Amino acid sequence: MISHSPDPFDLGGLVGQLKEFLEFQKNLGWSYLPWSPKNPENRETVPVVIHDSLKALSKAIIQCRNCPLVRERHQAVPGQGAFKARLMFVGEAPGVEEDLQGQPFVGPAGQLLTKMIQAINLQREVVYITNVVKCRPPENRQPFEDEINACRNFMEEEIRLVEPEILVALGSCAAQTLTGSKEKISALRGRWLDFHGRRLIATFHPAFLLRNPDAKREAWEDLKKVRRGYDGLE
Ligand code: URA
């Protein structure tokens, strides 16, 4: 008679346990598992990929399925603008219009951003505009940290390829992601900061300005500073 000793690699049992664990998480309300609960930075779980060109990068962004935002987005939204633009604006994440059109800042906040750019005597076509996260978070909620980390390489690659002299962070998500600081936008805005040797300045997000027109005065001061930096005067 052949006796079966317990299998130390009981794969069937492991699969069963894993299934049970996933069902339990689902019942707790998770629709996906975060990348790595033990690693709050979540960085090593997302491969860093180097791209040869903005075109290759945009293609990778469009095809990306690295995080759960893929489920509800219509399409990913790569950055847009002049190759080798001297000025790059970085927002938070696409909204409804951007998700439908596949272009950054084309909704109401985008129209205000266009006016902000024109107010410092530039045109959208000569700058580069992108977002920290390339897919729309459901209900326009703020992106979660693991979503930001899953997308971070794309933004860093855009900066590496475009090589802007000046980065303008629009709102707290961009400002905090680019500086690594947890300070509020009201504390970070309006002064020259650094992003790996590039000049960085933060200002209010145009969507915030639409809701809080009184803050436009401070945003205008920040924009004048950007223009002076662009002219090499500060
Ligand atoms: N808000 C953003 O942060 N980005 C967009 O592209 C649109 C709205």
Side-chain angles (χ1 to χ4, degrees):
M1 198 176 102
I2 303 168
S3 73
H4 289 285
S5 53
D7 178 1
F9 303 109
D10 177 13
L11 282 183
L14 278 177
V15 170
Q17 280 176 33
L18 181 62
K19 195 165 167 243
E20 229 173 76
F21 171 75
L22 291 173
E23 301 245 308
F24 177 66
Q25 298 297 321
K26 200 171 156 199
N27 291 338
L28 288 180
W30 284 96
S31 56
Y32 69 94
L33 288 174
W35 298 112
S36 164
K38 286 204 181 128
N39 168 22
E41 277 282 303
N42 288 315
R43 298 211 62 178
E44 76 250 27
T45 53
V46 181
V48 171
V49 182
I50 306 290
H51 299 86
D52 313 335
S53 65
L54 266 185
K55 201 170 159 202
L57 178 59
S58 291
K59 194 170 161 203
I61 291 170
I62 288 165
Q63 292 174 347
C64 178
R65 307 189 65 80
N66 276 347
C67 90
L69 291 180
V70 70
R71 297 220 194 103
E72 295 190 41
R73 72 171 194 208
H74 282 98
Q75 56 196 316
V77 181
Q80 189 181 56
F83 182 55
K84 302 297 175 196
R86 293 175 55 207
L87 194 56
M88 183 184 285
F89 290 85
V90 184
E92 180 175 302
V96 186
E97 272 308 310
E98 292 77 18
D99 177 62
L100 290 173
Q101 294 189 38
Q103 295 177 50
F105 281 98
V106 287
Q111 282 156 24
L112 179 55
L113 178 62
T114 303
K115 286 188 188 151
M116 289 161 74
I117 293 168
Q118 288 168 347
I120 52 170
N121 290 325
L122 291 172
Q123 297 300 320
R124 260 182 90 112
E125 295 69 32
V126 304
V127 304
Y128 192 89
I129 300 173
T130 193
N131 285 300
V132 171
V133 167
K134 311 301 189 215
C135 295
R136 180 186 176 224
E139 316 300 330
N140 290 351
R141 63 157 169 76
Q142 289 195 342
F144 296 144
E145 204 157 319
D146 52 354
E147 292 158 355
I148 292 174
N149 286 329
C151 227
R152 186 188 292 268
N153 182 235
F154 288 142
M155 178 193 65
E156 290 180 356
E157 278 285 275
E158 284 176 312
I159 296 170
R160 187 182 66 79
L161 289 164
V162 175
E163 300 184 290
E165 282 162 42
I166 297 175
L167 288 157
V168 183
L170 300 167
S172 61
C173 173
Q176 292 180 349
T177 304
L178 286 163
T179 58
S181 163
K182 293 275 176 230
E183 282 190 275
K184 288 184 180 164
I185 185 65
S186 48
L188 289 171
R189 60 155 282 276
R191 59 194 161 95
W192 290 109
L193 303 162
D194 171 80
F195 180 78
H196 299 291
R198 289 180 206 285
R199 307 190 81 192
L200 163 67
I201 194 164
T203 190
F204 292 121
H205 192 288
F208 173 84
L209 295 174
L210 288 174
R211 295 190 304 269
N212 302 275
D214 287 354
K216 282 186 182 170
R217 195 178 43 79
E218 286 159 294
W220 176 231
E221 292 306 317
D222 302 341
L223 287 172
K224 283 193 287 186
K225 219 168 188 153
V226 170
R227 181 68 222 202
R228 288 198 297 271
Y230 189 85
D231 289 335
L233 301 175
E234 31 177 288

